[in-house]
Amino acid sequence: MRLRNIPGSQERILENKYTIQTDGADGADYRGKWAKEFFHNDHPVHIEVGMGKGKFILEMARQNPDINYIGIEKYSSVLVRALDHREELESDNLLFLRMDAEDIDQYFAPGEVAKIYLNFSDPWPKDRHAKRRLTSRQFLERYDRFLVQDGSIQFKTDNRPLFDFSLEEIKDTGWILDECSFDLHADGPAPNNVMTEYEEKFYQKGNPICRLVCHRNPGQTDYSEKE
């Protein structure tokens, strides 16, 4: 997907008080400090990797004021869209982090994050790009380094091949699958589910939405490459 450049987006992000800058920073400046030094509380931290325009995480923050949320997005022209709506949120439990997901484990300390949301991530359909998928064993290993002991991942997608790949990676690496649906909204909008922008569009078109929830299994994971 080709992203449209938005003039002034980088400047707006730099000036916005809800965006944490990482350019030229060391991940050690952030690790272990999110709740106390950035949110000024001891609430659990949840993150969304690849938050897009932020509809999902904004609504999650609105519904759950006792959870600290961090929306992670690589592209300035996408992140700036979320800033337009962040001012409407009355609570102080949402920050944005502009960074590449490949560096994610550098910015969080062991046991610092309770839950990860992955919504309609880039499928990277070519086999040679499998390592870039946010549910690959390479990324599961990264998440393992900073999730709490029973920390979990919730993943949603309309891409069935990506979903099948994700299920295999979870099984092969030893993570524990807690929930799996190949058609989340088969009987109408699923209860206790916040839709993303893409999810609303796909639901209206009648496209099946897949969702899984899994949690790490400390000491029982194997991230070695497949033969």
Side-chain angles (χ1 to χ4, degrees), residues 6-52:
I6 298 178
S9 60
Q10 292 190 11
E11 290 77 7
R12 285 189 59 197
I13 290 170
L14 286 170
E15 296 170 356
N16 191 275
K17 64 180 180 180
Y18 298 115
T19 304
I20 306 300
Q21 304 302 323
T22 61
D23 292 347
D26 186 330
D29 296 334
Y30 304 87
R31 286 197 298 268
K33 302 177 181 179
W34 287 104
K36 289 187 177 180
E37 296 191 21
F38 288 95
F39 289 103
H40 308 292
N41 59 48
D42 59 357
H43 298 163
V45 175
H46 291 190
I47 66 176
E48 182 183 8
V49 184
M51 69 168 190

Side-chain angles (χ1 to χ4, degrees), residues 35 39 41-46 66-69 112-115:
F39 289 103
N41 59 48
D42 59 357
H43 298 163
V45 175
H46 291 190
D66 293 332
I67 295 175
N68 298 322
Y69 289 93
E112 189 166 22
V113 175
K115 190 166 187 176

Side-chain angles (χ1 to χ4, degrees), residues 38-124:
F38 288 95
F39 289 103
H40 308 292
N41 59 48
D42 59 357
H43 298 163
V45 175
H46 291 190
I47 66 176
E48 182 183 8
V49 184
M51 69 168 190
K53 298 176 184 177
K55 181 182 183 298
F56 172 84
I57 201 165
L58 279 159
E59 183 57 31
M60 292 296 290
R62 186 175 292 111
Q63 293 184 12
N64 304 284
D66 293 332
I67 295 175
N68 298 322
Y69 289 93
I70 301 173
I72 298 174
E73 176 56 51
K74 177 179 179 180
Y75 299 105
S76 298
S77 293
V78 178
L79 174 56
V80 74
R81 302 291 184 87
L83 300 182
D84 294 332
H85 302 286
R86 176 61 182 83
E87 299 292 341
E88 302 170 5
L89 186 66
E90 296 181 358
S91 58
D92 292 325
N93 63 329
L94 173 60
L95 294 173
F96 301 131
L97 186 59
R98 184 168 64 87
M99 61 172 287
D100 191 312
E102 289 188 357
D103 301 323
I104 194 168
D105 56 321
Q106 300 177 26
Y107 287 82
F108 298 96
E112 189 166 22
V113 175
K115 190 166 187 176
I116 298 172
Y117 297 96
L118 306 173
N119 291 313
F120 300 88
S121 309
D122 190 330
W124 292 102

Side-chain angles (χ1 to χ4, degrees), residues 126-142:
K126 296 181 179 179
D127 289 343
R128 69 175 183 269
H129 293 153
K131 293 180 180 180
R132 300 184 184 182
R133 299 168 189 163
L134 294 183
T135 51
S136 68
R137 65 190 57 215
Q138 289 79 16
F139 271 97
L140 291 175
E141 184 174 11
R142 290 182 176 98

Side-chain angles (χ1 to χ4, degrees), residues 134-153:
L134 294 183
T135 51
S136 68
R137 65 190 57 215
Q138 289 79 16
F139 271 97
L140 291 175
E141 184 174 11
R142 290 182 176 98
Y143 307 147
D144 201 357
R145 294 171 187 154
F146 60 80
L147 278 169
V148 299
Q149 184 169 357
D150 58 349
S152 64
I153 296 172

